[in-house]
Amino acid sequence: MTITSRTIETARLKTAVLERPASGPAARQVLLVHGNVSSSEFFRDLMAQLPSDVHAVAPDLRGYGASEALHQSSLAIDATRGVRDWADDLRALLDALDWPQAHLLGWSLGGGVVMQAALDAPARVNSLTLVAPVSPYGFGGTHGAEGTPNSADFAGSGGGTVNGDFVRAVAAGDRSDTAGSPLDVMRKFYFNAAKFQPTPEQEQAWLTSMLQTKVGDDHYPGDLTPSEHWPQVAPGTRGVANAFSSKYMNLSGFADIQPKPPVLWVRGDADAIVGDASLFDLAQLGALGVVPGWPGAQASPPQPMLGQMRLLLTRYVRNGGKFREVVLPGVGHSPFIEAPEEFRAVFTEHLEGN
């Protein structure tokens, strides 16, 4: 079945999507939500492989891909709302598609977005699939399974924690393979390079997708606030990395939603981005001696991202929900790309059972 691209005018913004209709009546409507510094393009192969009765749509979130140019202040990311700007955009897209309900899949940052969408409108969600999802307490600056902040100002999270050279390379459209370039980062961290090698065509398409990310204080990575606490930066109020700071993003209420869609959590055991020793967490890099001045594990321990998600989903089950965790060996941050057959099998089973 052919995958097409189009732009859909929603009540909130013009959203670019990839779409693969069902062949015949659609038994299931599926929305696929990408992560940070990526776009719907990363889902192209998965969409082509889904069962024929699935109508799949993968949007480019605001600030990414080919969605409406977001240099207008009204379309900036208001980080003080956490990930709600994107979650509200998803519900507006569901309205424009005339989908009363859908199955939602969220990868990385997209995992937090679909959880927020379910928190705000649980009746619209038939099932949730979380693929290498961000912690329910955001990224960086917390400790313990309850997401306790390391400092009162949430230092160690937000726009100031993102590598500035990488941001400048994205803004410049850098297509080189030099150390720290977007292509180099994708090769080293989006996948487990020891086990997976994309084709040159895939790699270039995904790189193009990454370079479409809108850069600036209003978008990626966002602004920052100086801090007296290590690493001397705390969240600002605008942009992507601030939106998924635990100062503003807290999904702990997910355990209490009604009704409770069944949840599938799929991750790789070689994920270097989301894990209990993430190489993108400044506290972990401090512990490794990469970032100077680390004050030690008592003051700034690495964030236990997996433990935080597992505790929340365990509470979800105790409150009457269903959740299944699938760990794929040797797989990094992109299970649906690195292990397509295994991923498709568990995802299809999840859809067919709900």
Side-chain angles (χ1 to χ4, degrees):
M1 285 164 282
T2 302
I3 296 172
T4 60
S5 60
R6 65 180 174 123
T7 298
I8 299 175
E9 180 106 37
T10 78
R12 291 176 57 80
L13 78 163
K14 295 175 182 175
T15 301
V17 304
L18 289 182
E19 183 170 20
R20 199 218 65 179
S23 62
R28 286 173 288 274
Q29 288 79 34
V30 176
L31 207 61
L32 307 170
V33 183
H34 65 82
N36 193 16
V37 195
S38 64
S39 80
S40 60
E41 183 62 35
F42 281 78
F43 289 124
R44 185 179 292 274
D45 292 338
L46 173 62
M47 295 173 77
Q49 297 160 358
L50 290 175
S52 61
D53 65 348
V54 168
H55 183 178
V57 171
D60 292 343
L61 296 175
R62 69 166 65 197
Y64 300 94
S67 282
E68 187 174 11
L70 302 180
H71 298 295
Q72 306 170 45
S73 60
S74 62
L75 292 171
I77 302 299
D78 180 357
T80 66
R81 304 186 71 233
V83 294
R84 287 183 180 87
D85 274 356
W86 294 303
D88 289 351
D89 291 345
L90 289 188
R91 291 202 310 280
L93 178 59
L94 291 177
D95 291 342
L97 290 167
D98 197 23
W99 289 4
Q101 291 126 348
H103 300 269
L104 304 186
L105 178 152
W107 169 43
S108 194
L109 167 62
V113 174
V114 299
M115 289 182 74
Q116 184 68 61
L119 219 167
D120 294 339
R124 301 200 68 171
V125 181
N126 291 325
S127 75
L128 274 182
T129 300
L130 307 176
V131 185
V134 65
S135 163
Y137 304 106
F139 202 98
T142 68
H143 64 272
E146 303 277 1
T148 305
N150 294 341
S151 60
D153 63 356
F154 297 84
S157 66
T161 65
V162 178
N163 184 292
D165 289 338
F166 177 75
V167 174
R168 285 185 285 275
V170 172
D174 182 357
R175 303 191 73 93
S176 75
D177 60 358
T178 57
S181 69
L183 179 57
D184 182 60
V185 168
M186 178 174 65
R187 287 173 172 172
K188 289 178 177 175
F189 299 108
Y190 282 38
F191 322 112
N192 177 14
K195 297 282 188 179
F196 173 78
Q197 293 294 327
T199 67
E201 293 77 16
Q202 287 175 315
E203 197 173 68
Q204 288 304 306
W206 295 333
L207 176 60
T208 296
S209 161
M210 294 172 68
L211 296 177
Q212 289 177 308
T213 301
K214 312 304 187 293
V215 172
D217 285 350
D218 285 335
H219 305 295
Y220 174 75
D223 60 350
L224 63 86
T225 302
S227 173
E228 62 180 337
H229 304 287
W230 187 88
Q232 279 67 61
V233 289
T237 61
R238 298 176 289 158
V240 172
N242 296 309
F244 60 72
S245 161
S246 59
K247 180 173 183 178
Y248 307 117
M249 177 183 169
N250 186 323
L251 303 177
S252 58
F254 180 79
D256 302 315
I257 65 172
Q258 292 293 345
K260 284 184 159 56
V263 177
L264 172 65
W265 176 19
V266 185
R267 62 182 183 87
D269 68 359
D271 190 342
I273 296 179
V274 173
D276 290 345
S278 168
L279 294 179
F280 283 59
D281 179 3
L282 290 190
Q284 175 65 21
L285 294 176
L288 294 174
V290 176
V291 177
W294 183 58
Q298 189 67 28
S300 185
Q303 181 182 3
M305 302 177 190
L306 302 180
Q308 290 172 347
M309 179 62 77
R310 190 171 294 112
L311 178 60
L312 178 59
L313 293 179
T314 299
R315 288 176 174 164
Y316 189 74
V317 171
R318 289 175 183 164
N319 290 346
K322 293 192 300 182
F323 128 71
R324 177 188 179 194
E325 180 180 358
V326 175
V327 183
L328 299 176
V331 170
H333 191 59
S334 308
F336 57 96
I337 291 173
E338 298 170 73
E341 294 183 5
E342 296 92 333
F343 181 85
R344 187 171 65 253
V346 295
F347 182 47
T348 300
E349 179 184 1
H350 182 59
L351 293 178
E352 292 176 346
N354 301 292

